[in-house]
Amino acid sequence: ELAGKIGVATIRATPLSLDDIENSAAYIQKAQEENMRIFATGQGNRQYIDTFAQYGIDAFVSGNEQNLPTISGETDIDTAFDEYYNDYFLPGLENIKNQGYKYLIAAVAGGQTAWFERLNNIAGWDNFDAIALHPYGYPYSPDLPVSNIWHVEDSLRRNLEAQELYGYKETYVTETGYPTTAGDKRAVDLRTQADYNMRCYILSIAYGATNVLAYCFTDYSNSGVGVD
């Protein structure tokens, strides 16, 4: 209820599937009845976009956290960005933005500055409409005064700094939050989760996010960190 009062409980990422259009359409209808703002995730697939646009979806994400392997050291950033650019960004540009829908870039894990630089210098800052951002930092408090890739406020700050350099973009915080999954050293207790998640929402709005979606919330198992 409190989250709703500050304007963050009004968005839903729709789990749409071309293999289950009937249930996907029902999900969209339910979200619309609840006055949710809706966007859909995908890979810039034309059939996917054309299908669900018929049900009122007008904002799409192409890809998800393609920068994450560069943070974990699995690959270098130029290789990762090249793959993202060809497999996700260009299809999204052609099938989302050029078709008149709102184009959200693949969510940037941690607000990585080097990734934003490549979005501007290689992809072109004017070739997308909005930023999807995943600021995480569990189990540490979201406003702990540190500088770290895995820190909520610092991720939000890097996103804002990129916009100050390259131009304003609407920001969707499509994932944030704190898990309570038992046995996971990154988890927090329920009272702390309530405290920290609310501070994530407020920080996100303070740093200019227009939409905020909690991911780690009700904590069903998902690689040990929980989902909403």
Side-chain angles (χ1 to χ4, degrees):
E1 181 180 356
L2 180 56
K5 287 180 179 178
I6 65 172
V8 300
T10 53
I11 184 167
R12 173 172 288 162
T14 55
L16 309 180
S17 171
L18 291 172
D19 297 325
D20 191 2
I21 292 177
E22 182 178 354
N23 281 332
S24 295
Y27 194 96
I28 294 171
Q29 182 178 355
K30 178 177 173 57
Q32 292 170 336
E33 290 171 353
E34 295 174 356
N35 295 318
M36 294 280 183
R37 284 170 281 173
I38 309 170
F39 69 94
T41 58
Q43 285 75 46
N45 178 282
R46 182 64 179 269
Q47 181 185 7
Y48 177 96
I49 292 160
D50 287 349
T51 298
F52 294 112
Q54 297 178 54
Y55 295 94
I57 303 293
D58 61 4
F60 296 87
V61 181
S62 181
N64 183 57
E65 291 191 348
Q66 268 66 43
N67 71 310
L68 186 58
T70 75
I71 298 173
S72 61
E74 297 172 49
T75 188
D76 66 273
I77 194 165
D78 290 317
T79 299
F81 194 88
D82 185 63
E83 292 177 357
Y84 162 67
Y85 181 73
N86 289 294
D87 295 344
Y88 295 92
F89 187 86
L90 288 179
L93 176 62
E94 179 180 354
N95 297 321
I96 302 173
K97 186 171 178 60
N98 290 349
Q99 298 302 316
Y101 304 115
K102 181 180 286 187
Y103 179 22
L104 283 73
I105 56 166
V108 181
Q112 189 182 25
T113 297
W115 196 261
F116 285 133
E117 291 173 351
R118 285 158 177 79
L119 281 167
N120 180 69
N121 298 338
I122 299 172
W125 202 254
D126 292 333
N127 287 331
F128 60 92
D129 300 305
I131 295 168
L133 185 69
H134 289 177
Y136 280 116
Y138 44 77
Y140 311 106
S141 64
D143 46 5
L144 188 72
V146 299
S147 179
N148 193 295
I149 191 71
W150 295 123
H151 181 261
V152 173
E153 187 171 11
D154 218 40
S155 297
L156 293 165
R157 183 183 296 112
R158 286 189 291 273
N159 175 60
L160 184 59
E161 288 171 348
Q163 294 183 54
E164 290 171 346
L165 284 173
Y166 310 128
Y168 171 77
K169 295 287 183 183
E170 186 177 9
T171 296
Y172 285 57
V173 173
T174 53
E175 289 185 22
T176 192
Y178 288 77
T180 61
T181 312
D184 192 314
K185 66 181 181 180
R186 297 167 295 177
V188 296
D189 63 84
L190 285 169
R191 184 178 296 276
T192 301
Q193 183 195 56
D195 175 9
Y196 284 6
N197 275 8
M198 187 58 61
R199 285 153 73 180
C200 283
Y201 305 154
I202 294 171
L203 281 168
S204 296
I205 292 172
Y207 278 89
T210 56
N211 301 279
V212 185
L213 174 64
Y215 184 68
C216 294
F217 194 72
T218 59
D219 309 307
Y220 295 106
S221 179
N222 177 41
S223 302
V225 296
V227 299
D228 67 344

Coordinates of all heavy atoms in Angstrom, one line a residue, residues 138-140 177-197 216-217 219:
Y138 N 22.4 -6.4 -2.6 CA 22.1 -7.2 -1.4 C 23.4 -8.0 -0.9 O 24.2 -8.3 -1.8 CB 20.9 -8.2 -1.5 CG 20.9 -9.0 -2.8 CD1 21.7 -10.1 -3.1 CD2 20.0 -8.6 -3.8 CE1 21.6 -10.8 -4.2 CE2 19.9 -9.3 -5.0 CZ 20.7 -10.4 -5.2 OH 20.6 -11.1 -6.4
P139 N 23.6 -8.1 0.4 CA 22.6 -7.8 1.5 C 22.8 -6.4 2.1 O 22.3 -6.1 3.1 CB 23.0 -8.8 2.5 CG 24.4 -9.0 2.4 CD 24.8 -8.8 0.9
Y140 N 23.6 -5.5 1.4 CA 23.9 -4.2 2.0 C 22.8 -3.2 1.8 O 22.1 -3.3 0.8 CB 25.2 -3.7 1.4 CG 26.3 -4.7 1.4 CD1 26.7 -5.4 0.2 CD2 27.0 -5.1 2.6 CE1 27.7 -6.3 0.2 CE2 28.0 -6.0 2.6 CZ 28.3 -6.7 1.4 OH 29.3 -7.6 1.4
G177 N 15.6 -4.9 -5.4 CA 15.0 -5.5 -4.2 C 16.0 -6.4 -3.4 O 17.2 -6.5 -3.8
Y178 N 15.5 -7.0 -2.4 CA 16.3 -7.8 -1.4 C 15.5 -9.1 -1.2 O 14.4 -9.1 -0.8 CB 16.5 -7.1 -0.1 CG 17.5 -5.9 -0.3 CD1 17.1 -4.7 -0.9 CD2 18.8 -6.1 0.1 CE1 18.0 -3.7 -1.0 CE2 19.7 -5.0 0.0 CZ 19.3 -3.8 -0.6 OH 20.2 -2.8 -0.8
P179 N 16.2 -10.3 -1.3 CA 15.6 -11.6 -1.1 C 15.7 -12.0 0.4 O 16.5 -11.5 1.1 CB 16.5 -12.5 -1.9 CG 17.8 -11.9 -1.9 CD 17.6 -10.4 -1.8
T180 N 14.8 -12.9 0.8 CA 14.8 -13.5 2.1 C 15.0 -15.0 2.1 O 14.7 -15.7 3.1 CB 13.5 -13.1 2.9 OG1 12.4 -13.7 2.2 CG2 13.3 -11.6 3.0
T181 N 15.4 -15.5 1.0 CA 15.6 -16.9 0.8 C 16.4 -17.6 1.8 O 17.6 -17.2 2.0 CB 16.2 -17.2 -0.6 OG1 15.5 -16.4 -1.6 CG2 16.0 -18.7 -1.0
A182 N 15.9 -18.6 2.5 CA 16.6 -19.2 3.6 C 17.9 -19.8 3.2 O 17.9 -20.4 2.1 CB 15.7 -20.3 4.2
G183 N 18.9 -19.7 4.0 CA 20.2 -20.3 3.7 C 21.1 -19.6 2.7 O 22.2 -20.0 2.4
D184 N 20.6 -18.5 2.2 CA 21.5 -17.7 1.3 C 22.1 -16.5 2.1 O 21.4 -15.7 2.6 CB 20.6 -17.1 0.1 CG 21.4 -16.6 -1.0 OD1 22.4 -15.8 -0.7 OD2 21.1 -16.9 -2.2
K185 N 23.4 -16.5 2.0 CA 24.1 -15.4 2.8 C 23.8 -14.0 2.3 O 24.1 -13.0 3.0 CB 25.6 -15.7 2.8 CG 26.3 -15.6 1.4 CD 27.8 -15.8 1.5 CE 28.4 -15.7 0.2 NZ 29.9 -16.0 0.2
R186 N 23.3 -13.9 1.1 CA 23.0 -12.6 0.5 C 21.6 -12.1 0.9 O 21.2 -11.0 0.7 CB 23.1 -12.6 -1.0 CG 24.4 -12.9 -1.5 CD 24.4 -13.3 -3.0 NE 23.7 -14.5 -3.2 CZ 23.5 -15.0 -4.4 NH1 23.9 -14.4 -5.5 NH2 22.8 -16.1 -4.6
A187 N 20.8 -13.0 1.6 CA 19.4 -12.7 2.0 C 19.4 -11.8 3.2 O 20.4 -11.7 4.0 CB 18.6 -14.0 2.2
V188 N 18.2 -11.2 3.4 CA 18.0 -10.4 4.6 C 16.7 -10.9 5.3 O 16.0 -11.7 4.7 CB 17.8 -8.9 4.3 CG1 19.1 -8.4 3.7 CG2 16.7 -8.7 3.3
D189 N 16.5 -10.5 6.6 CA 15.2 -10.9 7.2 C 14.1 -10.1 6.7 O 14.2 -9.1 6.0 CB 15.4 -10.7 8.7 CG 15.6 -9.3 9.1 OD1 14.6 -8.5 9.2 OD2 16.8 -8.9 9.2
L190 N 12.9 -10.5 7.0 CA 11.7 -9.9 6.4 C 11.5 -8.4 6.8 O 11.2 -7.6 6.0 CB 10.4 -10.6 6.9 CG 10.1 -12.0 6.2 CD1 9.0 -12.7 7.0 CD2 9.8 -11.8 4.8
R191 N 11.8 -8.0 8.0 CA 11.7 -6.6 8.4 C 12.7 -5.8 7.7 O 12.4 -4.7 7.2 CB 12.0 -6.5 10.0 CG 11.8 -5.1 10.5 CD 12.0 -5.1 12.0 NE 10.9 -5.8 12.7 CZ 9.7 -5.4 13.0 NH1 9.4 -4.1 12.7 NH2 8.9 -6.1 13.6
T192 N 14.0 -6.3 7.5 CA 15.0 -5.6 6.8 C 14.6 -5.5 5.3 O 14.8 -4.4 4.7 CB 16.3 -6.3 6.9 OG1 16.7 -6.3 8.3 CG2 17.4 -5.5 6.1
Q193 N 14.0 -6.5 4.8 CA 13.6 -6.5 3.4 C 12.5 -5.4 3.2 O 12.6 -4.6 2.2 CB 12.9 -7.8 3.0 CG 12.5 -7.8 1.5 CD 11.6 -9.0 1.2 OE1 10.5 -9.1 1.8 NE2 11.9 -9.8 0.2
A194 N 11.6 -5.3 4.1 CA 10.5 -4.2 4.0 C 11.2 -2.8 4.0 O 10.8 -1.9 3.3 CB 9.5 -4.4 5.1
D195 N 12.2 -2.7 4.9 CA 12.9 -1.4 5.1 C 13.7 -1.1 3.8 O 13.5 0.0 3.2 CB 13.8 -1.5 6.3 CG 14.7 -0.3 6.5 OD1 14.5 0.7 5.8 OD2 15.6 -0.3 7.3
Y196 N 14.5 -2.0 3.4 CA 15.4 -1.8 2.3 C 14.7 -1.7 0.9 O 15.0 -0.8 0.1 CB 16.4 -2.9 2.1 CG 17.6 -2.9 3.2 CD1 17.6 -2.0 4.2 CD2 18.6 -3.8 3.1 CE1 18.6 -1.9 5.1 CE2 19.6 -3.8 4.0 CZ 19.6 -2.9 5.0 OH 20.6 -2.8 6.0
N197 N 13.7 -2.5 0.7 CA 12.9 -2.4 -0.6 C 12.3 -1.0 -0.7 O 12.3 -0.4 -1.8 CB 11.9 -3.5 -0.7 CG 12.4 -4.8 -1.2 OD1 13.6 -4.9 -1.4 ND2 11.5 -5.7 -1.5
C216 N 13.1 -9.1 -6.3 CA 13.2 -9.9 -5.1 C 12.2 -9.5 -4.0 O 12.4 -8.5 -3.4 CB 14.6 -9.8 -4.5 SG 15.9 -10.5 -5.5
F217 N 11.1 -10.2 -4.0 CA 10.1 -9.7 -3.1 C 9.4 -10.9 -2.3 O 9.6 -11.0 -1.1 CB 9.0 -8.9 -3.8 CG 8.1 -8.2 -2.9 CD1 8.5 -7.1 -2.2 CD2 6.8 -8.6 -2.7 CE1 7.7 -6.4 -1.4 CE2 5.9 -7.9 -1.8 CZ 6.4 -6.8 -1.2
D219 N 10.0 -14.2 -2.9 CA 11.1 -15.1 -2.6 C 10.9 -16.6 -2.9 O 11.3 -17.4 -2.1 CB 11.5 -14.9 -1.1 CG 11.8 -13.5 -0.8 OD1 12.6 -12.9 -1.5 OD2 11.2 -13.0 0.2

